[in-house]
Each structure stands twice: as structure tokens, then as C-alpha cells.
Amino acid sequence: MVILAQMQKTLRAYAEVLRLIRRLPKDTRSYYAKYARENFVNYREVDATDTAAIDELLNRTYTHSLWVLQKYSVDDAAAEKLKRVCCTQ
């Protein structure tokens, strides 16, 4: 059950990141979509029962997303749903 919940949480985070990428300038979207996919794929081997590791990765997902949004002057409020997915237990 824990594994399924962690997988669903991770997939929701990935979906939210992709939604946020749509708010970026058109010429940057493909780069960040590829970057996001590569990062989620690179960490797929993390043990799903290691909740601390998953939570740390999700926290970094949120932090990095905020950095990119600020870089392109997108309102941080756009990431509120991602924050709820990544930063709540």
C-alpha cells in the first residue's frame, strides 16, 4: 500500500511539473519538459518504501520548480498544487 501511494504521489508531482512547464515561454518548454522527464526517469530506481528519500526528492522537485518559475517571472502561486503534492505528508 505504501509503495502504491508513493508511486501515485510521484506521478502527481510529475504531472504538476508538466503543467507548470506550459506556463513558461514557448521556446523553453521542450527543454524543461525533457529535463523533467530525465530527472524522474533517473530516480525511478529509488526504493519506494524509503519515504524519506522520496520526500526529499519531491521537496527538491518543488524547490527547483519554484526557481525556474521565478527565472521566467511566472507567479509562484502557480505552483501551489505542486506544493500540496510535494510538501505534505
Side-chain angles (χ1 to χ4, degrees):
M1 188 69 168
V2 170
I3 294 173
L4 181 60
Q6 290 290 57
M7 287 175 59
Q8 289 175 336
K9 187 175 183 180
T10 303
L11 290 173
R12 284 194 317 268
Y14 180 57
E16 287 306 315
V17 166
L18 293 179
R19 285 185 190 98
L20 289 174
I21 288 170
R22 291 186 211 143
R23 294 174 172 264
L24 300 176
K26 194 170 190 169
D27 61 334
T28 64
R29 292 177 194 164
S30 63
Y31 170 80
Y32 285 106
K34 182 179 178 189
Y35 180 81
R37 175 158 174 64
E38 287 173 355
N39 276 283
F40 276 89
V41 168
N42 287 339
Y43 291 107
R44 70 177 166 210
E45 300 300 324
V46 171
D47 182 6
T49 61
D50 187 353
T51 55
I54 300 285
D55 289 343
E56 173 60 28
L57 288 170
L58 290 171
N59 188 31
R60 287 191 341 204
T61 298
Y62 175 68
T63 303
H64 290 160
S65 296
L66 282 182
W67 182 86
V68 172
L69 292 174
Q70 290 171 355
K71 178 179 177 181
Y72 292 101
S73 301
V74 176
D75 186 13
D76 287 359
E80 195 59 38
K81 195 170 182 183
L82 180 62
K83 182 179 181 181
R84 288 193 304 270
V85 171
C86 293
C87 301
T88 59
Q89 304 302 324

